[in-house]
Structure formats: structure tokens, C-alpha cells
């Protein structure tokens, strides 16, 4: 029976190609607008490391006291140097790492090549296994390198292409801010967006490509300047040493806690640390990764409005399609009256027109796939190159686009189909 309905639907759509194209175009535009905005918001707000996110936490400690707290009584999002080094020394989590953002100058060895700035972070060796960071060559540095303040560096894939031509550069020397560092590892296209381990530094999504990772203590010893946010309760003394002695907060801190017992233990440790080091009652927080990203508003609330706008535009297009389907179906009232007079049931008439609606939805959805792809390409052309992952088109997105297009069109066809099935055969036979 479905084959019969499908044949009738194809014949009907071929009789009015212009109207069929108009309905399919309306569906395609609505689906594309809805899916493009949905995909963008979904990719921006997704879990950046789903295999580990439940074990990653961000501690914060109030180092300024009640007079400097905001209206929500929250401590600063970042740690000062004294607190960060104290947490690192105590080592109460399974893995932990401080992180601060920097933009040092890279000095190529090639004759005629000019120095350039590269973005990176100062972290500890435990960040690599903690975040499952992939390597193309080599590996991260060791805990002994941390302790000895070794001049080693891990470089990004693009920087390796630019400086060393993309080959295995492990063991070679890279000059950073006038000092020589030994390359121990090359990252394998690692470009997390948002850069969840140091969100407060620049708001989450980094425009520059990740170029280098330096040992935290080495970067401190070499006085590699910090970039990004640096709120201070009091103005620091001049120079990098003044920053280290100041109450300015400029260091992110991430820990890995494997279970609820470890989380509770670390919360108790933070409370005891604050109680022992500050005059005011302890004011600490320990947020999980997803709660931290939400607290930091990595995806601004007005971005989520885009999703509603996309759905609203899809509804407008569907309403337009309902009108076109209703006009098309009711023009065939005489045909429907004859079929009803010959014994066709209302359910059969309704099923025939729903099949026709589904066929329009399929054609419109295929057009919606094309427009969604073009929409994502348009966004990719306007976003920074490092945000290309936010405009990714994958198989689940394609399948969802098809399903939503067909499903929405079938729903839109329900009212016109019911109206067509309700045609009175006697009245139309009398008038025809």
C-alpha cells in the first residue's frame, strides 16, 4: 500500500513542479537555519574532554579577604603565585598543574627568518597524562625536569612545521625569548576549544594557535611574562619578581580527582589550607570541569538565543509550508470526492497526503543539508582558523538534519491532510 501512496505522491508532485520546488525550498531554508545555529551552539557548549571531565576540578582560594569579594562572595577565578606554588608543593591530588598564558618571542635559527610571537602556557609535567594530550613526536617532560627546572619545551604541530619543516624535531634546540630550550615533544594537532585548563586568561576560546608548553618552574626562573587577565588587590612592585611577591591572581590551577572520596579529601585540604594561611574564615571553591565552564560563561547566554532564533525561523517556514500544502491538497477536492464515493476511507486519503508531505520533507531536507553545509562553511570563513572545530560537519549532524526535516514536514502536513480527508463526497459529486 505504501508503494501505491508513494506513486500517487510522485505523480502529484510532478504535476506542479513549481509549487513542489517552493515547498521544498521553504523546508530547506528553515532546516538549514535551525541546524546551523543548533550545531554552532552545540559545538561551543559540548564537553571538551568527555573521557576525563568527571575527574577534572578547578580549586579557587580567597586570598584577598571579605572586603574584596564580589556580591556573590566568590573568590578570585585565578590564584596568586604563593597559593599556586603551595598547592603544587603539597601535591594532594592524583595529578595537578598550574597554568599561565604567555606570548614569548620565538627566534628562528634560519638565516633571514624574523622573530615572531607564539602563544603558549607554563604548566607542570602532570598536565600531559591528566588531559590525555596526544603527541606526534616525543613526549612531555618528566617530573625530574620539573624539579630541576630543565630548559625543555613541547611545541605545537604548526610551530614544528614553521621552524623545523614538520620533521621529528625532538632533541633540537628552540630559542625562546633569548634562551635556548631542548625540544622533548611535538603535539599532534592538539587544539582544544575552549582551552579549558586556563579559561580565565582569555575567556575560553583562543584565537592564536598553541605554540609552546614550558615547565612552570622553568618559565618562572626565566621570568617569561604572563599574558591575559591579572587582577590585583594592590598594585604590584615593578618587575617579574614584584609580580611573584604580589597578591595579584594570574595562575589557573587544575587537579585530577578520581572519585568522590578524593574530591571530599581535597575540599577538606583546601579549607584547612585557607584556615592556616589567612586571617579571615576560609572561602574556597572546588568546581568540576563542566560546572567551571558554566560558571565562567564560556558560552555567553545570548549565544543560546541563536538556537531559539533558528527554531523560530524553522517554524515560520513550516507555517508557510502548511499553507502551500493546504492549498495544494484542497485543489484536489473533486478527486478526493470521487475516491471517497468509490469507498476510500478517510485514513487512506490521510495516509496518501502524509506520504506526499514526507516526500516533500525528504527533498527539502536534502536541500537543507546543502544549505547547512554552506552555512557552516560561511561561519568557518569568518571565524579564526583555530576555531575550525566549532564548524565541523559530521555524520550525526547530517542524519539529524534529515530526520528533523522529514519529521517536521510530516507534522506540517497533518492539518492539510486531515482537512483533505474530511471532504464530503456527495457535495463535490453534485457540484462537479
Amino acid at each position: 500500500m505504501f508503494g501505491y501512496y508513494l506513486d500517487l505522491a510522485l505523480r502529484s508532485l510532478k504535476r506542479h513542479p513549481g509549487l513542489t520546488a517552493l515547498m521544498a525550498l521553504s523546508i530547506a531554508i528553515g532546516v538549514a537555519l535551525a541546524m546551523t545555529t543548533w550545531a554552532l551552539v552545540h559545538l561551543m557548549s559540548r564537553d571538551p574532554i568527555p573521557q576525563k571531565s568527571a575527574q577534572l576540578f578547578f580549586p579557587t582560594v580567597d586570598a584577598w579577604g571579605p572586603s574584596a569579594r564580589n556580591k556573590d562572595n566568590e573568590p578570585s577565578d585565578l590564584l596568586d603565585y604563593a597559593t599556586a606554588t603551595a598547592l603544587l608543593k603539597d601535591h594532594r591530588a592524583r595529578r595537578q598543574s598550574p597554568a599561565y598564558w604567555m606570548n614569548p618571542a620565538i627566534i628562528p635559527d634560519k638565516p633571514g627568518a624574523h622573530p615572531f610571537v607564539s602563544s603558549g602556557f607554563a604548566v607542570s609535567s602532570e598536565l600531559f597524562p591528566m588531559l590525555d594530550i596526544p603527541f606526534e613526536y616525543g613526549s612531555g617532560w618528566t617530573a625530574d625536569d620539573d624539579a630541576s627546572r630543565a630548559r625543555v619545551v613541547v611545541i605545537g604541530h604548526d610551530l614544528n612545521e614553521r621552524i623545523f619543516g614538520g620533521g621529528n624535531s625532538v632533541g633540537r634546540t628552540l630559542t625562546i625569548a633569548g634562551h635556548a630550550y631542548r625540544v622533548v615533544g611535538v603535539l599532534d594537532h592538539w587544539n582544544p576549544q575552549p582551552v579549558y585548563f586556563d579559561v580565565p586568561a582569555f575567556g575560553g576560546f583562543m584565537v592564536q594557535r598553541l605554540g609552546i608548553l614550558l615547565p612552570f618552574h622553568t618559565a618562572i626562573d626565566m621570568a617569561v611574562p604572563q599574558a591575559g587577565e591579572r587582577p590585583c588587590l594592590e598594585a604590584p612592585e615593578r618587575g617579574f619578581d614584584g609580580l611573584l611577591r604580589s597578591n595579584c591572581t594570574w595562575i589557573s590551577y587544575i587537579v585530577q580527582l578520581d572519585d568522590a572520596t578524593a574530591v571530599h579529601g581535597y575540599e577538606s585540604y583546601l579549607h584547612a589550607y585557607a584556615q592556616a594561611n589567612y586571617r579571615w574564615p576560609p572561602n574556597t571553591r572546588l568546581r568540576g570541569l563542566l560546572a567551571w565552564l558554566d560558571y565562567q560563561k564560556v558560552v555567553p547566554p545570548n549565544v543560546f538565543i541563536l538556537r531559539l532564533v533558528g527554531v523560530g525561523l524553522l517554524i515560520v517556514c513550516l507555517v508557510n509550508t502548511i499553507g502551500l500544502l493546504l492549498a495544494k491538497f484542497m485543489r484536489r477536492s473533486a478527486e478526493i470526492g470521487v475516491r471517497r464515493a468509490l469507498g476510500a476511507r478517510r485514513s487512506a486519503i490521510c495516509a496518501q497526503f502524509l506520504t506526499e508531505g514526507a516526500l516533500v520533507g525528504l527533498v527539502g531536507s536534502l536541500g537543507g543539508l546543502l544549505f547547512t553545509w554552506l552555512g557552516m562553511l560561511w561561519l568557518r570563513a569568518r571565524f579564526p582558523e583555530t576555531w575550525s572545530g566549532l564548524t565541523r560537519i559530521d555524520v550525526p549532524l547530517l542524519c539529524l538534519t534529515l530526520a528533523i526535516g522529514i519529521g517536521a514536514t510530516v507534522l506540517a502536513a497533518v492539518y492539510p491532510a486531515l482537512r483533505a480527508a474530511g471532504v464530503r463526497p456527495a457535495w463535490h459529486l453534485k457540484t462537479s
Side-chain angles (χ1 to χ4, degrees):
M1 187 58 73
F2 176 73
Y4 174 65
Y5 293 151
L6 189 61
D7 181 61
L8 289 179
L10 285 171
R11 290 170 184 268
S12 172
L13 295 177
K14 287 179 180 176
R15 276 200 297 270
H16 306 284
L19 184 60
T20 301
L22 188 61
M23 290 188 294
L25 182 63
S26 178
I27 294 295
I29 292 174
V31 168
L33 290 172
M35 294 310 300
T36 301
T37 53
W38 180 88
L40 178 62
V41 176
H42 171 71
L43 291 172
M44 289 181 71
S45 58
R46 74 188 191 285
D47 186 344
I49 179 170
Q51 75 277 17
K52 277 286 188 68
S53 59
Q55 302 167 29
L56 301 178
F57 292 82
F58 295 82
T60 53
V61 178
D62 182 4
W64 291 353
S67 60
R69 292 174 191 166
N70 57 27
K71 63 180 181 180
D72 296 325
N73 201 35
E74 291 285 343
S76 175
D77 298 337
L78 299 162
L79 303 180
D80 62 334
Y81 177 71
T83 303
T85 51
L87 299 187
L88 191 60
K89 181 180 179 182
D90 290 348
H91 202 278
R92 295 302 181 93
R94 181 187 174 194
R95 294 182 176 121
Q96 48 260 295
S97 175
Y100 81 83
W101 183 30
M102 55 192 179
N103 287 314
I106 306 296
I107 305 173
D109 291 336
K110 296 178 182 177
H114 298 290
F116 60 91
V117 170
S118 180
S119 279
F121 296 89
V123 300
S124 81
S125 60
E126 294 185 354
L127 188 78
F128 301 109
M130 183 162 49
L131 304 187
D132 297 335
I133 297 176
F135 281 86
E136 187 174 11
Y137 302 111
S139 63
W141 57 84
T142 65
D144 290 339
D145 291 327
D146 278 331
S148 64
R149 291 162 163 72
R151 291 190 186 181
V152 293
V153 61
V154 166
I155 63 176
H157 174 84
D158 291 343
L159 184 62
N160 188 50
E161 289 273 355
R162 183 169 181 175
I163 298 293
F164 300 112
N168 185 354
S169 57
V170 172
R172 299 185 68 173
T173 300
L174 180 66
T175 304
I176 304 172
H179 301 283
Y181 293 80
R182 177 171 55 88
V183 177
V184 295
V186 179
L187 300 178
D188 186 12
H189 297 283
W190 191 60
N191 176 35
Q193 294 289 351
V195 183
Y196 50 89
F197 57 90
D198 193 10
V199 170
F202 42 81
F205 295 96
M206 192 164 77
V207 175
Q208 304 91 338
R209 286 204 172 274
L210 178 59
I212 58 172
L213 293 171
L214 288 179
F216 179 76
H217 292 307
T218 303
I220 294 295
D221 280 359
M222 304 307 293
V224 180
Q226 172 256 351
E229 291 291 323
R230 191 175 63 188
C232 301
L233 182 62
E234 299 168 349
E237 300 172 16
R238 293 174 62 86
F240 195 75
D241 288 339
L243 176 64
L244 301 183
R245 290 191 296 269
S246 74
N247 54 27
C248 297
T249 56
W250 51 286
I251 302 172
S252 289
Y253 205 86
I254 182 172
V255 298
Q256 178 179 341
L257 305 169
D258 291 337
D259 52 38
T261 302
V263 173
H264 180 71
Y266 202 85
E267 287 176 327
S268 300
Y269 159 70
L270 279 180
H271 185 89
Y273 172 83
Q275 195 168 36
N277 289 277
Y278 303 111
R279 301 187 305 275
W280 44 86
N283 184 26
T284 63
R285 301 288 186 276
L286 183 64
R287 289 185 170 88
L289 172 58
L290 298 184
W292 179 246
L293 296 179
D294 185 55
Y295 173 71
Q296 292 292 320
K297 293 184 171 52
V298 170
V299 182
N302 53 4
V303 171
F304 289 98
I305 296 176
L306 288 176
R307 186 180 289 174
L308 299 178
V309 171
V311 173
L313 292 172
L314 174 59
I315 291 174
V316 169
C317 293
L318 287 176
V319 169
N320 180 53
T321 303
I322 290 173
L324 294 173
L325 285 173
L326 185 61
K328 186 174 190 299
F329 291 169
M330 296 311 293
R331 286 180 60 184
R332 296 161 61 186
S333 296
E335 172 194 333
I336 297 169
V338 172
R339 289 192 60 196
R340 292 277 289 121
L342 293 176
R345 295 182 176 180
R346 289 185 176 180
S347 59
I349 302 294
C350 195
Q352 174 192 335
F353 287 122
L354 287 179
T355 303
E356 191 169 328
L359 201 57
V360 172
L362 176 61
V363 176
S365 298
L366 293 175
L369 285 179
L370 174 63
F371 290 153
T372 301
W373 177 67
L374 292 174
M376 298 303 273
L377 289 182
W378 182 82
L379 289 174
R380 182 174 297 182
R382 277 149 184 80
F383 282 175
E385 189 180 358
T386 51
W387 295 9
S388 59
L390 301 178
T391 55
R392 188 177 64 247
I393 302 173
D394 50 23
V395 173
L397 174 63
L398 298 179
C399 294
L400 188 61
T401 303
L402 272 177
I404 287 180
I406 296 173
T409 311
V410 169
L411 285 176
V414 168
Y415 176 69
L418 290 175
R419 284 288 304 273
V423 166
R424 295 180 179 179
W427 187 86
H428 283 283
L429 289 175
K430 195 182 296 180
T431 57
S432 59

